[in-house]
Amino acid sequence: MKSVIRFTAAACVLATLTACDTSNSPTINPQGTWLSESEKAFLNIQRPYPNYDSVCVLLGDSPNTASLKAPGQELIACPKHEQGATQDRSRNGARTVGQSEYWVILSLSSDLVEQQLQTYQ
């Protein structure tokens, strides 16, 4: 009976240690949005948009998104699962121009981006 209890205890400890292994977990940025390695390489994320605790992000220039950006426009991205945030950005003048694995990419007037950043800083 004692060997069964020891085996069960050892199995519980092993299961707990395995559950804590984060080596294969996706990485997380300081704002809490999950990013795969391919997404980090694809998007040049500058900062949360429009304010510091937003799930959407302002994108910098990148060869991978250059074809999506029009003159006088900035790109932002919202996580696909955050449909409310994407709808909020659309109501504020953004339009969807692309998608990636985890993100909806939107285009917004540079003037409007600057105005909203000043409002929320």
PDB file of all heavy atoms in Angstrom, residues 35-72:
ATOM      1  N   LEU A  35       2.079  36.642 -28.694  1.00  0.00           N
ATOM      2  CA  LEU A  35       2.762  36.762 -29.974  1.00  0.00           C
ATOM      3  C   LEU A  35       3.569  35.499 -30.254  1.00  0.00           C
ATOM      4  O   LEU A  35       4.357  35.086 -29.420  1.00  0.00           O
ATOM      5  CB  LEU A  35       3.748  37.942 -29.965  1.00  0.00           C
ATOM      6  CG  LEU A  35       3.194  39.328 -29.725  1.00  0.00           C
ATOM      7  CD1 LEU A  35       4.329  40.316 -29.579  1.00  0.00           C
ATOM      8  CD2 LEU A  35       2.284  39.732 -30.847  1.00  0.00           C
ATOM      9  N   SER A  36       3.375  34.918 -31.410  1.00  0.00           N
ATOM     10  CA  SER A  36       4.241  33.819 -31.814  1.00  0.00           C
ATOM     11  C   SER A  36       5.525  34.434 -32.373  1.00  0.00           C
ATOM     12  O   SER A  36       5.575  35.623 -32.685  1.00  0.00           O
ATOM     13  CB  SER A  36       3.552  32.961 -32.873  1.00  0.00           C
ATOM     14  OG  SER A  36       3.434  33.683 -34.087  1.00  0.00           O
ATOM     15  N   GLU A  37       6.551  33.636 -32.508  1.00  0.00           N
ATOM     16  CA  GLU A  37       7.811  34.156 -33.072  1.00  0.00           C
ATOM     17  C   GLU A  37       7.599  34.680 -34.485  1.00  0.00           C
ATOM     18  O   GLU A  37       8.163  35.697 -34.867  1.00  0.00           O
ATOM     19  CB  GLU A  37       8.884  33.069 -33.051  1.00  0.00           C
ATOM     20  CG  GLU A  37       9.340  32.692 -31.646  1.00  0.00           C
ATOM     21  CD  GLU A  37       9.900  33.869 -30.867  1.00  0.00           C
ATOM     22  OE1 GLU A  37      10.668  34.667 -31.412  1.00  0.00           O
ATOM     23  OE2 GLU A  37       9.553  33.986 -29.674  1.00  0.00           O
ATOM     24  N   SER A  38       6.756  33.999 -35.283  1.00  0.00           N
ATOM     25  CA  SER A  38       6.514  34.464 -36.655  1.00  0.00           C
ATOM     26  C   SER A  38       5.791  35.809 -36.666  1.00  0.00           C
ATOM     27  O   SER A  38       6.027  36.642 -37.526  1.00  0.00           O
ATOM     28  CB  SER A  38       5.737  33.422 -37.451  1.00  0.00           C
ATOM     29  OG  SER A  38       4.453  33.228 -36.883  1.00  0.00           O
ATOM     30  N   GLU A  39       4.898  36.026 -35.691  1.00  0.00           N
ATOM     31  CA  GLU A  39       4.194  37.291 -35.623  1.00  0.00           C
ATOM     32  C   GLU A  39       5.137  38.429 -35.236  1.00  0.00           C
ATOM     33  O   GLU A  39       5.030  39.538 -35.733  1.00  0.00           O
ATOM     34  CB  GLU A  39       3.032  37.223 -34.631  1.00  0.00           C
ATOM     35  CG  GLU A  39       1.899  36.331 -35.082  1.00  0.00           C
ATOM     36  CD  GLU A  39       1.115  36.919 -36.231  1.00  0.00           C
ATOM     37  OE1 GLU A  39       0.647  38.043 -36.110  1.00  0.00           O
ATOM     38  OE2 GLU A  39       0.994  36.232 -37.256  1.00  0.00           O
ATOM     39  N   LYS A  40       6.059  38.172 -34.328  1.00  0.00           N
ATOM     40  CA  LYS A  40       7.027  39.202 -33.947  1.00  0.00           C
ATOM     41  C   LYS A  40       7.858  39.620 -35.142  1.00  0.00           C
ATOM     42  O   LYS A  40       8.162  40.798 -35.323  1.00  0.00           O
ATOM     43  CB  LYS A  40       7.948  38.682 -32.848  1.00  0.00           C
ATOM     44  CG  LYS A  40       7.317  38.594 -31.501  1.00  0.00           C
ATOM     45  CD  LYS A  40       8.378  38.132 -30.523  1.00  0.00           C
ATOM     46  CE  LYS A  40       7.811  37.783 -29.201  1.00  0.00           C
ATOM     47  NZ  LYS A  40       8.817  37.248 -28.291  1.00  0.00           N
ATOM     48  N   ALA A  41       8.230  38.672 -35.973  1.00  0.00           N
ATOM     49  CA  ALA A  41       9.043  38.978 -37.142  1.00  0.00           C
ATOM     50  C   ALA A  41       8.226  39.700 -38.206  1.00  0.00           C
ATOM     51  O   ALA A  41       8.748  40.534 -38.941  1.00  0.00           O
ATOM     52  CB  ALA A  41       9.629  37.693 -37.720  1.00  0.00           C
ATOM     53  N   PHE A  42       6.953  39.390 -38.284  1.00  0.00           N
ATOM     54  CA  PHE A  42       6.095  39.951 -39.323  1.00  0.00           C
ATOM     55  C   PHE A  42       5.678  41.388 -39.029  1.00  0.00           C
ATOM     56  O   PHE A  42       5.653  42.230 -39.910  1.00  0.00           O
ATOM     57  CB  PHE A  42       4.847  39.069 -39.469  1.00  0.00           C
ATOM     58  CG  PHE A  42       3.839  39.587 -40.443  1.00  0.00           C
ATOM     59  CD1 PHE A  42       4.077  39.529 -41.803  1.00  0.00           C
ATOM     60  CD2 PHE A  42       2.647  40.133 -40.010  1.00  0.00           C
ATOM     61  CE1 PHE A  42       3.153  40.009 -42.708  1.00  0.00           C
ATOM     62  CE2 PHE A  42       1.714  40.614 -40.898  1.00  0.00           C
ATOM     63  CZ  PHE A  42       1.971  40.542 -42.255  1.00  0.00           C
ATOM     64  N   LEU A  43       5.348  41.673 -37.791  1.00  0.00           N
ATOM     65  CA  LEU A  43       4.827  42.986 -37.419  1.00  0.00           C
ATOM     66  C   LEU A  43       5.862  43.786 -36.635  1.00  0.00           C
ATOM     67  O   LEU A  43       6.483  43.277 -35.724  1.00  0.00           O
ATOM     68  CB  LEU A  43       3.567  42.824 -36.559  1.00  0.00           C
ATOM     69  CG  LEU A  43       2.402  42.097 -37.208  1.00  0.00           C
ATOM     70  CD1 LEU A  43       1.295  41.863 -36.192  1.00  0.00           C
ATOM     71  CD2 LEU A  43       1.876  42.850 -38.407  1.00  0.00           C
ATOM     72  N   ASN A  44       6.009  45.038 -36.974  1.00  0.00           N
ATOM     73  CA  ASN A  44       6.912  45.939 -36.258  1.00  0.00           C
ATOM     74  C   ASN A  44       6.066  46.718 -35.243  1.00  0.00           C
ATOM     75  O   ASN A  44       5.630  47.825 -35.495  1.00  0.00           O
ATOM     76  CB  ASN A  44       7.600  46.879 -37.250  1.00  0.00           C
ATOM     77  CG  ASN A  44       8.543  47.838 -36.579  1.00  0.00           C
ATOM     78  OD1 ASN A  44       8.838  47.718 -35.398  1.00  0.00           O
ATOM     79  ND2 ASN A  44       9.009  48.813 -37.339  1.00  0.00           N
ATOM     80  N   ILE A  45       5.824  46.095 -34.099  1.00  0.00           N
ATOM     81  CA  ILE A  45       4.939  46.675 -33.088  1.00  0.00           C
ATOM     82  C   ILE A  45       5.658  47.784 -32.331  1.00  0.00           C
ATOM     83  O   ILE A  45       6.735  47.578 -31.793  1.00  0.00           O
ATOM     84  CB  ILE A  45       4.441  45.575 -32.127  1.00  0.00           C
ATOM     85  CG1 ILE A  45       3.587  44.587 -32.917  1.00  0.00           C
ATOM     86  CG2 ILE A  45       3.680  46.184 -30.960  1.00  0.00           C
ATOM     87  CD1 ILE A  45       3.146  43.390 -32.135  1.00  0.00           C
ATOM     88  N   GLN A  46       5.031  48.971 -32.308  1.00  0.00           N
ATOM     89  CA  GLN A  46       5.621  50.141 -31.671  1.00  0.00           C
ATOM     90  C   GLN A  46       5.136  50.350 -30.244  1.00  0.00           C
ATOM     91  O   GLN A  46       5.933  50.594 -29.357  1.00  0.00           O
ATOM     92  CB  GLN A  46       5.318  51.400 -32.485  1.00  0.00           C
ATOM     93  CG  GLN A  46       5.892  51.360 -33.884  1.00  0.00           C
ATOM     94  CD  GLN A  46       7.405  51.298 -33.863  1.00  0.00           C
ATOM     95  OE1 GLN A  46       8.048  52.170 -33.318  1.00  0.00           O
ATOM     96  NE2 GLN A  46       7.969  50.250 -34.432  1.00  0.00           N
ATOM     97  N   ARG A  47       3.814  50.311 -30.049  1.00  0.00           N
ATOM     98  CA  ARG A  47       3.232  50.591 -28.737  1.00  0.00           C
ATOM     99  C   ARG A  47       1.752  50.250 -28.763  1.00  0.00           C
ATOM    100  O   ARG A  47       1.164  50.123 -29.835  1.00  0.00           O
ATOM    101  CB  ARG A  47       3.415  52.053 -28.360  1.00  0.00           C
ATOM    102  CG  ARG A  47       2.810  53.014 -29.384  1.00  0.00           C
ATOM    103  CD  ARG A  47       2.502  54.357 -28.866  1.00  0.00           C
ATOM    104  NE  ARG A  47       1.372  54.250 -27.953  1.00  0.00           N
ATOM    105  CZ  ARG A  47       0.924  55.223 -27.196  1.00  0.00           C
ATOM    106  NH1 ARG A  47       1.486  56.388 -27.250  1.00  0.00           N
ATOM    107  NH2 ARG A  47      -0.096  55.063 -26.392  1.00  0.00           N
ATOM    108  N   PRO A  48       1.123  50.102 -27.595  1.00  0.00           N
ATOM    109  CA  PRO A  48      -0.326  49.904 -27.571  1.00  0.00           C
ATOM    110  C   PRO A  48      -1.028  51.132 -28.165  1.00  0.00           C
ATOM    111  O   PRO A  48      -0.516  52.243 -28.080  1.00  0.00           O
ATOM    112  CB  PRO A  48      -0.645  49.771 -26.084  1.00  0.00           C
ATOM    113  CG  PRO A  48       0.629  49.368 -25.449  1.00  0.00           C
ATOM    114  CD  PRO A  48       1.707  50.024 -26.251  1.00  0.00           C
ATOM    115  N   TYR A  49      -2.193  50.906 -28.757  1.00  0.00           N
ATOM    116  CA  TYR A  49      -2.921  52.002 -29.386  1.00  0.00           C
ATOM    117  C   TYR A  49      -4.398  51.882 -29.045  1.00  0.00           C
ATOM    118  O   TYR A  49      -4.948  50.795 -29.154  1.00  0.00           O
ATOM    119  CB  TYR A  49      -2.737  51.966 -30.902  1.00  0.00           C
ATOM    120  CG  TYR A  49      -3.506  53.062 -31.592  1.00  0.00           C
ATOM    121  CD1 TYR A  49      -2.952  54.329 -31.704  1.00  0.00           C
ATOM    122  CD2 TYR A  49      -4.778  52.849 -32.086  1.00  0.00           C
ATOM    123  CE1 TYR A  49      -3.672  55.348 -32.298  1.00  0.00           C
ATOM    124  CE2 TYR A  49      -5.494  53.859 -32.681  1.00  0.00           C
ATOM    125  CZ  TYR A  49      -4.933  55.104 -32.786  1.00  0.00           C
ATOM    126  OH  TYR A  49      -5.641  56.124 -33.368  1.00  0.00           O
ATOM    127  N   PRO A  50      -5.078  52.941 -28.686  1.00  0.00           N
ATOM    128  CA  PRO A  50      -4.604  54.312 -28.595  1.00  0.00           C
ATOM    129  C   PRO A  50      -3.969  54.654 -27.243  1.00  0.00           C
ATOM    130  O   PRO A  50      -3.256  55.640 -27.132  1.00  0.00           O
ATOM    131  CB  PRO A  50      -5.864  55.145 -28.803  1.00  0.00           C
ATOM    132  CG  PRO A  50      -6.977  54.297 -28.301  1.00  0.00           C
ATOM    133  CD  PRO A  50      -6.552  52.876 -28.567  1.00  0.00           C
ATOM    134  N   ASN A  51      -4.231  53.873 -26.191  1.00  0.00           N
ATOM    135  CA  ASN A  51      -3.617  54.203 -24.911  1.00  0.00           C
ATOM    136  C   ASN A  51      -2.817  53.025 -24.378  1.00  0.00           C
ATOM    137  O   ASN A  51      -2.811  51.950 -24.969  1.00  0.00           O
ATOM    138  CB  ASN A  51      -4.658  54.710 -23.894  1.00  0.00           C
ATOM    139  CG  ASN A  51      -5.841  53.773 -23.756  1.00  0.00           C
ATOM    140  OD1 ASN A  51      -5.924  52.763 -24.432  1.00  0.00           O
ATOM    141  ND2 ASN A  51      -6.766  54.097 -22.897  1.00  0.00           N
ATOM    142  N   TYR A  52      -2.125  53.223 -23.289  1.00  0.00           N
ATOM    143  CA  TYR A  52      -1.140  52.257 -22.797  1.00  0.00           C
ATOM    144  C   TYR A  52      -1.721  50.891 -22.426  1.00  0.00           C
ATOM    145  O   TYR A  52      -1.011  49.897 -22.438  1.00  0.00           O
ATOM    146  CB  TYR A  52      -0.394  52.836 -21.587  1.00  0.00           C
ATOM    147  CG  TYR A  52      -1.243  52.922 -20.342  1.00  0.00           C
ATOM    148  CD1 TYR A  52      -1.234  51.900 -19.413  1.00  0.00           C
ATOM    149  CD2 TYR A  52      -2.050  54.025 -20.103  1.00  0.00           C
ATOM    150  CE1 TYR A  52      -2.028  51.963 -18.276  1.00  0.00           C
ATOM    151  CE2 TYR A  52      -2.832  54.100 -18.975  1.00  0.00           C
ATOM    152  CZ  TYR A  52      -2.819  53.071 -18.067  1.00  0.00           C
ATOM    153  OH  TYR A  52      -3.601  53.124 -16.963  1.00  0.00           O
ATOM    154  N   ASP A  53      -3.011  50.808 -22.112  1.00  0.00           N
ATOM    155  CA  ASP A  53      -3.581  49.520 -21.734  1.00  0.00           C
ATOM    156  C   ASP A  53      -4.476  48.916 -22.822  1.00  0.00           C
ATOM    157  O   ASP A  53      -5.246  48.000 -22.568  1.00  0.00           O
ATOM    158  CB  ASP A  53      -4.345  49.634 -20.411  1.00  0.00           C
ATOM    159  CG  ASP A  53      -5.500  50.624 -20.468  1.00  0.00           C
ATOM    160  OD1 ASP A  53      -5.606  51.373 -21.463  1.00  0.00           O
ATOM    161  OD2 ASP A  53      -6.284  50.655 -19.510  1.00  0.00           O
ATOM    162  N   SER A  54      -4.364  49.405 -24.041  1.00  0.00           N
ATOM    163  CA  SER A  54      -5.150  48.894 -25.166  1.00  0.00           C
ATOM    164  C   SER A  54      -4.580  47.574 -25.677  1.00  0.00           C
ATOM    165  O   SER A  54      -3.380  47.334 -25.589  1.00  0.00           O
ATOM    166  CB  SER A  54      -5.152  49.898 -26.318  1.00  0.00           C
ATOM    167  OG  SER A  54      -5.780  51.084 -25.941  1.00  0.00           O
ATOM    168  N   VAL A  55      -5.451  46.755 -26.235  1.00  0.00           N
ATOM    169  CA  VAL A  55      -4.995  45.491 -26.828  1.00  0.00           C
ATOM    170  C   VAL A  55      -4.531  45.694 -28.265  1.00  0.00           C
ATOM    171  O   VAL A  55      -3.767  44.888 -28.789  1.00  0.00           O
ATOM    172  CB  VAL A  55      -6.084  44.398 -26.782  1.00  0.00           C
ATOM    173  CG1 VAL A  55      -6.408  44.024 -25.356  1.00  0.00           C
ATOM    174  CG2 VAL A  55      -7.336  44.813 -27.538  1.00  0.00           C
ATOM    175  N   CYS A  56      -4.986  46.758 -28.899  1.00  0.00           N
ATOM    176  CA  CYS A  56      -4.524  47.068 -30.255  1.00  0.00           C
ATOM    177  C   CYS A  56      -3.160  47.729 -30.172  1.00  0.00           C
ATOM    178  O   CYS A  56      -2.784  48.271 -29.134  1.00  0.00           O
ATOM    179  CB  CYS A  56      -5.515  47.982 -30.966  1.00  0.00           C
ATOM    180  SG  CYS A  56      -7.155  47.242 -31.182  1.00  0.00           S
ATOM    181  N   VAL A  57      -2.416  47.661 -31.271  1.00  0.00           N
ATOM    182  CA  VAL A  57      -1.057  48.201 -31.292  1.00  0.00           C
ATOM    183  C   VAL A  57      -0.845  49.049 -32.534  1.00  0.00           C
ATOM    184  O   VAL A  57      -1.445  48.811 -33.577  1.00  0.00           O
ATOM    185  CB  VAL A  57      -0.004  47.070 -31.236  1.00  0.00           C
ATOM    186  CG1 VAL A  57      -0.031  46.354 -29.896  1.00  0.00           C
ATOM    187  CG2 VAL A  57      -0.176  46.072 -32.376  1.00  0.00           C
ATOM    188  N   LEU A  58       0.010  50.047 -32.389  1.00  0.00           N
ATOM    189  CA  LEU A  58       0.441  50.873 -33.512  1.00  0.00           C
ATOM    190  C   LEU A  58       1.624  50.172 -34.155  1.00  0.00           C
ATOM    191  O   LEU A  58       2.535  49.726 -33.462  1.00  0.00           O
ATOM    192  CB  LEU A  58       0.852  52.263 -33.010  1.00  0.00           C
ATOM    193  CG  LEU A  58       1.313  53.270 -34.050  1.00  0.00           C
ATOM    194  CD1 LEU A  58       0.186  53.609 -35.018  1.00  0.00           C
ATOM    195  CD2 LEU A  58       1.802  54.528 -33.360  1.00  0.00           C
ATOM    196  N   LEU A  59       1.594  50.049 -35.473  1.00  0.00           N
ATOM    197  CA  LEU A  59       2.673  49.367 -36.181  1.00  0.00           C
ATOM    198  C   LEU A  59       3.627  50.363 -36.806  1.00  0.00           C
ATOM    199  O   LEU A  59       3.205  51.381 -37.350  1.00  0.00           O
ATOM    200  CB  LEU A  59       2.099  48.473 -37.289  1.00  0.00           C
ATOM    201  CG  LEU A  59       1.126  47.383 -36.852  1.00  0.00           C
ATOM    202  CD1 LEU A  59       0.614  46.608 -38.063  1.00  0.00           C
ATOM    203  CD2 LEU A  59       1.773  46.449 -35.851  1.00  0.00           C
ATOM    204  N   GLY A  60       4.906  50.055 -36.746  1.00  0.00           N
ATOM    205  CA  GLY A  60       5.909  50.835 -37.441  1.00  0.00           C
ATOM    206  C   GLY A  60       6.083  50.288 -38.854  1.00  0.00           C
ATOM    207  O   GLY A  60       5.460  49.297 -39.238  1.00  0.00           O
ATOM    208  N   ASP A  61       6.927  50.938 -39.626  1.00  0.00           N
ATOM    209  CA  ASP A  61       7.177  50.490 -40.991  1.00  0.00           C
ATOM    210  C   ASP A  61       7.848  49.121 -40.985  1.00  0.00           C
ATOM    211  O   ASP A  61       8.702  48.831 -40.138  1.00  0.00           O
ATOM    212  CB  ASP A  61       8.063  51.495 -41.727  1.00  0.00           C
ATOM    213  CG  ASP A  61       7.344  52.820 -41.965  1.00  0.00           C
ATOM    214  OD1 ASP A  61       6.100  52.812 -42.019  1.00  0.00           O
ATOM    215  OD2 ASP A  61       8.025  53.850 -42.089  1.00  0.00           O
ATOM    216  N   SER A  62       7.455  48.295 -41.919  1.00  0.00           N
ATOM    217  CA  SER A  62       7.989  46.950 -42.045  1.00  0.00           C
ATOM    218  C   SER A  62       7.874  46.520 -43.501  1.00  0.00           C
ATOM    219  O   SER A  62       6.872  46.837 -44.158  1.00  0.00           O
ATOM    220  CB  SER A  62       7.180  45.991 -41.157  1.00  0.00           C
ATOM    221  OG  SER A  62       7.413  44.665 -41.504  1.00  0.00           O
ATOM    222  N   PRO A  63       8.858  45.813 -44.026  1.00  0.00           N
ATOM    223  CA  PRO A  63       8.739  45.315 -45.399  1.00  0.00           C
ATOM    224  C   PRO A  63       7.506  44.418 -45.573  1.00  0.00           C
ATOM    225  O   PRO A  63       6.910  44.378 -46.636  1.00  0.00           O
ATOM    226  CB  PRO A  63      10.016  44.507 -45.611  1.00  0.00           C
ATOM    227  CG  PRO A  63      10.974  44.969 -44.577  1.00  0.00           C
ATOM    228  CD  PRO A  63      10.152  45.466 -43.430  1.00  0.00           C
ATOM    229  N   ASN A  64       7.108  43.746 -44.519  1.00  0.00           N
ATOM    230  CA  ASN A  64       5.974  42.828 -44.607  1.00  0.00           C
ATOM    231  C   ASN A  64       4.621  43.538 -44.655  1.00  0.00           C
ATOM    232  O   ASN A  64       3.643  42.966 -45.112  1.00  0.00           O
ATOM    233  CB  ASN A  64       5.992  41.870 -43.410  1.00  0.00           C
ATOM    234  CG  ASN A  64       7.198  40.978 -43.435  1.00  0.00           C
ATOM    235  OD1 ASN A  64       7.534  40.405 -44.455  1.00  0.00           O
ATOM    236  ND2 ASN A  64       7.877  40.870 -42.312  1.00  0.00           N
ATOM    237  N   THR A  65       4.551  44.764 -44.179  1.00  0.00           N
ATOM    238  CA  THR A  65       3.279  45.485 -44.185  1.00  0.00           C
ATOM    239  C   THR A  65       3.297  46.711 -45.109  1.00  0.00           C
ATOM    240  O   THR A  65       2.302  47.419 -45.201  1.00  0.00           O
ATOM    241  CB  THR A  65       2.904  45.946 -42.760  1.00  0.00           C
ATOM    242  OG1 THR A  65       3.955  46.759 -42.237  1.00  0.00           O
ATOM    243  CG2 THR A  65       2.647  44.761 -41.848  1.00  0.00           C
ATOM    244  N   ALA A  66       4.395  46.935 -45.795  1.00  0.00           N
ATOM    245  CA  ALA A  66       4.539  48.131 -46.644  1.00  0.00           C
ATOM    246  C   ALA A  66       3.443  48.219 -47.702  1.00  0.00           C
ATOM    247  O   ALA A  66       2.938  49.306 -47.982  1.00  0.00           O
ATOM    248  CB  ALA A  66       5.914  48.155 -47.293  1.00  0.00           C
ATOM    249  N   SER A  67       3.035  47.093 -48.263  1.00  0.00           N
ATOM    250  CA  SER A  67       2.018  47.123 -49.325  1.00  0.00           C
ATOM    251  C   SER A  67       0.634  47.471 -48.780  1.00  0.00           C
ATOM    252  O   SER A  67      -0.263  47.817 -49.545  1.00  0.00           O
ATOM    253  CB  SER A  67       1.970  45.772 -50.041  1.00  0.00           C
ATOM    254  OG  SER A  67       1.546  44.760 -49.144  1.00  0.00           O
ATOM    255  N   LEU A  68       0.454  47.402 -47.476  1.00  0.00           N
ATOM    256  CA  LEU A  68      -0.844  47.711 -46.873  1.00  0.00           C
ATOM    257  C   LEU A  68      -0.989  49.182 -46.506  1.00  0.00           C
ATOM    258  O   LEU A  68      -2.089  49.665 -46.267  1.00  0.00           O
ATOM    259  CB  LEU A  68      -1.048  46.871 -45.597  1.00  0.00           C
ATOM    260  CG  LEU A  68      -0.982  45.359 -45.753  1.00  0.00           C
ATOM    261  CD1 LEU A  68      -1.061  44.688 -44.388  1.00  0.00           C
ATOM    262  CD2 LEU A  68      -2.084  44.864 -46.673  1.00  0.00           C
ATOM    263  N   LYS A  69       0.125  49.893 -46.463  1.00  0.00           N
ATOM    264  CA  LYS A  69       0.126  51.277 -45.972  1.00  0.00           C
ATOM    265  C   LYS A  69       0.053  52.272 -47.127  1.00  0.00           C
ATOM    266  O   LYS A  69       0.876  52.267 -48.022  1.00  0.00           O
ATOM    267  CB  LYS A  69       1.385  51.523 -45.148  1.00  0.00           C
ATOM    268  CG  LYS A  69       1.385  52.848 -44.436  1.00  0.00           C
ATOM    269  CD  LYS A  69       2.583  52.975 -43.518  1.00  0.00           C
ATOM    270  CE  LYS A  69       2.603  54.316 -42.843  1.00  0.00           C
ATOM    271  NZ  LYS A  69       3.778  54.477 -42.001  1.00  0.00           N
ATOM    272  N   ALA A  70      -0.941  53.141 -47.060  1.00  0.00           N
ATOM    273  CA  ALA A  70      -1.108  54.190 -48.066  1.00  0.00           C
ATOM    274  C   ALA A  70      -0.501  55.480 -47.540  1.00  0.00           C
ATOM    275  O   ALA A  70      -0.349  55.656 -46.327  1.00  0.00           O
ATOM    276  CB  ALA A  70      -2.595  54.388 -48.359  1.00  0.00           C
ATOM    277  N   PRO A  71      -0.141  56.422 -48.442  1.00  0.00           N
ATOM    278  CA  PRO A  71       0.375  57.709 -47.985  1.00  0.00           C
ATOM    279  C   PRO A  71      -0.630  58.410 -47.066  1.00  0.00           C
ATOM    280  O   PRO A  71      -1.837  58.389 -47.312  1.00  0.00           O
ATOM    281  CB  PRO A  71       0.563  58.501 -49.295  1.00  0.00           C
ATOM    282  CG  PRO A  71       0.669  57.459 -50.361  1.00  0.00           C
ATOM    283  CD  PRO A  71      -0.182  56.314 -49.900  1.00  0.00           C
ATOM    284  N   GLY A  72      -0.122  59.007 -45.985  1.00  0.00           N
ATOM    285  CA  GLY A  72      -0.977  59.710 -45.042  1.00  0.00           C
ATOM    286  C   GLY A  72      -1.743  58.787 -44.102  1.00  0.00           C
ATOM    287  O   GLY A  72      -2.649  59.228 -43.406  1.00  0.00           O
TER     288      GLY A  72
END
